Amino acid sequence: MTEQTAPASWPVADFDPVRRLAVLAATVPGAALHQAVVDAPFDRVWAVAADLEGALPHWLPDIRTVRPSADGTEALVVGHSRLRARFDIELRPGWCLMQSRFVLGGMAAHPEDDGTTRFAFLGAFRFPAIGLLATVLRPATAPLGERSLRRFEALVREAHG
Amino acid sequence: MTTVTESVRNVPASGPLLWVNRKETAVEPTPTQAVEPARIVALVRAAQRGDRLAVSGLLELVTPYVRRLCGPIALDDGPDATQEALIAVFRRLRQLEEPAALFGWVRAIAVREAVRHAQRAGRYAPAELTEVPAPGDPQLAADIRDVLDRLTPEHRAVLVLRDLEGMDERQTAELLGVATGTVKSRLSRARLSFRRAWQQ
């Protein structure tokens, strides 16, 4: 009896949600991507990230309230400044994208081998002209991104404590 | 008046879900069998108009395909190559005039980016195989990764386009921007050379 050769297994490149968010960031003019390795497992990190109503206003500076719809596909977001907009939301484990008429926001997380979690968030305006302005302003806004990341990490620690 | 968001929501909902609650671990459909052409066209058009949720849906749709192309060509650099290829695809999306030709267009960009990235990374060992193994070679079926490790990125691309994508020499030459003779030379005397390498 002839032994059957096993089907060939072609290597498939790994790809994770943080890389996917980086692709979006690279294709949106003026988008700012901030990322960090959070010293906590994925489930704890994403529990905070996915809590749009309870957690987002505590770590993103301009957001005052987030009111998700019952099915979770939309949310009314009100900011401390003039932001008041309805966002379409795409949310699943490790991935969240929020889009209003003018603003795009996103979060992604991926578990690392050592038990930590890579977390990234993205902020952008949706139109090129505004995006170019955002590019000019990026040196001023970058520290805000880092500060937001630190607040996010603190929330993850508090949630565990 | 139809808003951009509404236009995405009006994309036909039948067929596999493209982005809603689709898990990373789900079985990835091959691009040609899983998604209705009308849905692809609607997504591309919405993404070209700047709808980022459509971009996200399109990204989810083409990513498995790009991973399958970049993995065998860029090997350990596959994740970086995939990321760069996807960035190239979405930066040039407005240049895609015929949305129905999406996957052929993505394939051309992804293969070229994977070859370019693998060459730039320069992490591959000097080629032990100077030609691509012939179709149906039992060693190829037994251990593709070993074969790939001993080919240059350009040869891997030829192998991928022929064995995974079913392209002929002329199509492969066009996509890689080389003469048909170059592809032929990479494929010629393949079985003999490949077997010799394996028997050493």
Side-chain angles (χ1 to χ4, degrees):
Chain A
M1 185 176 146
T2 305
E3 188 177 331
Q4 293 292 312
T5 305
S9 178
W10 292 79
V12 176
D14 289 336
F15 202 72
D16 60 64
V18 175
R19 284 184 179 273
R20 182 184 298 160
L21 196 63
V23 171
L24 275 187
T27 57
V28 179
L33 183 76
H34 304 278
Q35 59 177 309
V37 175
V38 181
D39 188 16
F42 173 85
D43 288 347
R44 274 172 45 202
V45 171
W46 197 251
V48 173
D51 183 6
L52 304 181
E53 187 171 11
L56 211 54
H58 294 291
W59 66 274
L60 276 181
D62 189 43
I63 293 184
R64 193 167 70 190
T65 60
V66 179
R67 296 272 183 267
S69 61
D71 65 359
T73 61
E74 294 179 5
L76 177 66
V77 177
V78 177
H80 292 289
S81 55
R82 290 182 174 182
L83 174 66
R84 181 183 176 86
R86 186 186 66 79
F87 280 74
D88 290 315
I89 296 176
E90 183 185 297
L91 177 65
R92 57 175 181 266
W95 179 256
C96 178
L97 203 61
M98 302 175 66
Q99 173 180 265
S100 74
R101 191 174 171 200
F102 295 115
V103 177
L104 177 73
M107 296 181 285
H110 179 67
E112 298 284 321
D113 291 339
D114 60 0
T116 60
T117 302
R118 181 166 294 278
F119 176 77
F121 78 94
L122 159 77
F125 295 100
R126 289 185 53 208
F127 297 102
I130 304 176
L132 289 174
L133 178 63
T135 303
V136 173
L137 293 174
R138 186 173 294 165
T141 58
L144 295 177
E146 296 306 312
R147 204 175 306 159
S148 296
L149 276 177
R150 286 198 296 274
R151 284 181 187 154
F152 179 81
E153 289 177 290
L155 281 179
V156 172
R157 282 195 300 272
E158 287 169 18
H160 185 58
Chain B
M1 181 179 154
T2 302
T3 66
V4 171
T5 301
E6 285 166 348
S7 70
V8 175
R9 290 197 167 158
N10 289 337
V11 170
S14 57
L17 292 176
L18 295 183
W19 66 79
V20 179
N21 295 328
R22 183 162 175 261
K23 294 181 179 176
E24 289 292 314
T25 52
V27 175
E28 293 164 349
T30 57
T32 52
Q33 75 184 28
V35 183
E36 291 175 12
R39 198 170 191 197
I40 294 173
V41 171
L43 264 181
V44 170
R45 293 291 187 217
Q48 287 176 325
R49 288 194 297 267
D51 187 319
R52 294 297 160 183
L53 287 184
V55 169
S56 177
L58 206 53
L59 186 56
E60 182 150 349
L61 179 65
V62 301
T63 294
Y65 186 48
V66 174
R67 290 172 59 198
R68 282 198 292 267
L69 292 170
C70 290
I73 298 173
L75 298 179
D76 291 344
D77 295 302
D80 288 342
T82 300
Q83 188 169 331
E84 289 194 18
L86 287 168
I87 288 171
V89 163
F90 284 92
R91 279 186 174 159
R92 298 177 206 168
L93 191 63
R94 287 176 197 271
Q95 298 171 16
L96 176 61
E97 294 177 358
E98 189 50 68
L102 173 71
F103 284 99
W105 183 76
V106 167
R107 174 174 56 207
I109 293 174
V111 169
R112 289 178 197 143
E113 285 291 329
V115 170
R116 198 170 63 86
H117 192 87
Q119 287 172 331
R120 199 171 57 202
R123 279 209 268 144
Y124 55 91
E128 294 177 38
L129 301 178
T130 55
E131 289 94 16
V132 174
D137 191 299
Q139 304 292 5
L140 184 56
D143 192 348
I144 280 182
R145 176 62 200 235
D146 183 78
V147 171
L148 294 168
D149 280 339
R150 295 189 291 137
L151 291 168
T152 65
E154 298 93 330
H155 283 72
R156 286 181 223 142
V158 171
L159 187 65
V160 164
L161 292 173
R162 185 196 68 193
D163 284 23
L164 274 183
E165 296 296 295
M167 295 176 74
D168 62 25
E169 290 168 0
R170 184 187 57 79
Q171 293 168 319
T172 300
E174 277 182 13
L175 191 152
L176 294 174
V178 298
T180 307
T182 304
V183 172
K184 280 183 179 170
S185 70
R186 288 175 186 173
L187 293 170
S188 69
R189 291 173 281 115
R191 181 178 294 271
L192 179 64
S193 171
F194 184 61
R195 285 198 179 287
R196 190 181 300 133
W198 263 86
Q199 287 162 4
Q200 284 174 353

